[in-house]
Amino acid sequence: MCADKGGDGCPGHGDSHSGPRGGRPRSTEADAAILEATRAALGELGWTKLTMGDVAARAGVAKTTLYRRWPSKSELVLDAVAVLFDGMELADRGSLAADVESAVLQFAALLERPENKTSLMALVAESTRDEALRRRIRIAIVDRQKRLVLLGRERAQARGELPREPDTATAARTADLIFDVIAGAVVHRTLVSAEPADEEWARTFTALLLNGLAPG
């Protein structure tokens, strides 16, 4: 049964978006064009009106090609959003505070682009009605982007700025909390409050995150 809600049918539904089982290798350029077209179409049409046919036409590919790579609209949109975050990197700025500020500004800049903002908001909204999609978001975006938290924490621990956790379970809980606080604050600031997450805000937020509310 087709999981796409755009009403296009499901040719090629048996193949997964993770890669073809045989035949010619996937084109990186074609994938990039399809994902870019997905974000653009989503920004113009919204989740409900977006169809696989719209994306195929914009990307200049056949619908069958699209379905061989992404068997449903939700998986296509998820990949279109996830790939944005995969491009984020955590440069070593020499201190924990500088690393956090850099990550905050990079994330905020990504969300400032209208097509990125619209795509993420549409995906999150749809996930409130789709438990399976919510789990896929966790795997494709949240779990993958925790690499930045783990890298930043490891650097800070090596510098002596942060203590090492006593066990792996505590370390995992700490990583979850750090990610939730940083990502949650930036998303709320940019998407909910619609306020700029500029350098001044990033510095203030970082100081609060690292030092807390109590006076030093």
Side-chain angles (χ1 to χ4, degrees):
M1 181 177 179
C2 177
D4 176 50
K5 299 177 182 178
D8 285 330
C10 282
H13 181 79
D15 294 313
S16 169
H17 71 287
S18 61
R21 295 186 178 93
R24 293 185 301 172
R26 287 177 57 159
S27 164
T28 302
E29 293 79 10
D31 281 2
I34 290 168
L35 297 178
E36 183 177 355
T38 301
R39 293 189 294 271
L42 190 61
E44 292 179 24
L45 302 173
W47 182 283
T48 303
K49 294 182 179 180
L50 176 69
T51 68
M52 300 290 266
D54 293 320
V55 175
R58 287 169 185 259
V61 301
K63 269 200 304 187
T64 51
T65 299
L66 200 61
Y67 275 111
R68 278 197 298 269
R69 300 179 183 196
W70 292 275
S72 72
K73 182 169 75 174
S74 63
E75 289 180 89
L76 174 60
V77 174
L78 176 57
D79 272 8
V81 173
V83 73
L84 299 172
F85 296 97
D86 285 343
M88 291 183 62
E89 296 295 338
L90 186 63
D92 189 345
R93 304 292 185 183
S95 72
L96 176 59
D99 285 356
V100 172
E101 287 181 31
S102 176
V104 166
L105 291 172
Q106 187 179 173
F107 186 27
L110 186 152
L111 294 180
E112 282 177 1
R113 295 177 58 182
E115 67 273 22
N116 297 348
K117 180 187 302 185
T118 302
S119 298
L120 180 60
M121 292 181 73
L123 185 65
V124 171
E126 184 65 19
S127 73
T128 64
R129 299 183 287 271
D130 187 336
E131 180 64 31
L133 177 59
R134 192 178 309 131
R135 289 194 298 270
R136 292 199 296 271
I137 290 173
R138 178 82 183 183
I139 295 169
I141 298 178
V142 177
D143 289 347
R144 289 215 303 247
Q145 295 317 308
K146 280 182 187 172
R147 63 187 172 83
L148 302 178
V149 170
L150 298 175
L151 176 59
R153 183 177 62 179
E154 180 62 32
R155 287 175 180 169
Q157 289 172 338
R159 297 187 196 110
E161 295 175 293
L162 289 177
R164 295 192 179 274
E165 289 81 358
D167 53 69
T168 56
T170 301
R173 287 195 299 270
T174 301
D176 283 348
L177 182 58
I178 294 171
F179 182 90
D180 290 346
V181 170
I182 295 176
V186 176
V187 167
H188 190 280
R189 176 75 176 179
T190 57
L191 302 189
V192 180
S193 297
E195 295 287 344
D198 53 20
E199 291 186 4
E200 180 180 359
W201 184 86
R203 283 195 298 270
T204 303
F205 168 73
T206 300
L208 178 63
L209 176 67
L210 299 184
N211 302 322
L213 292 173

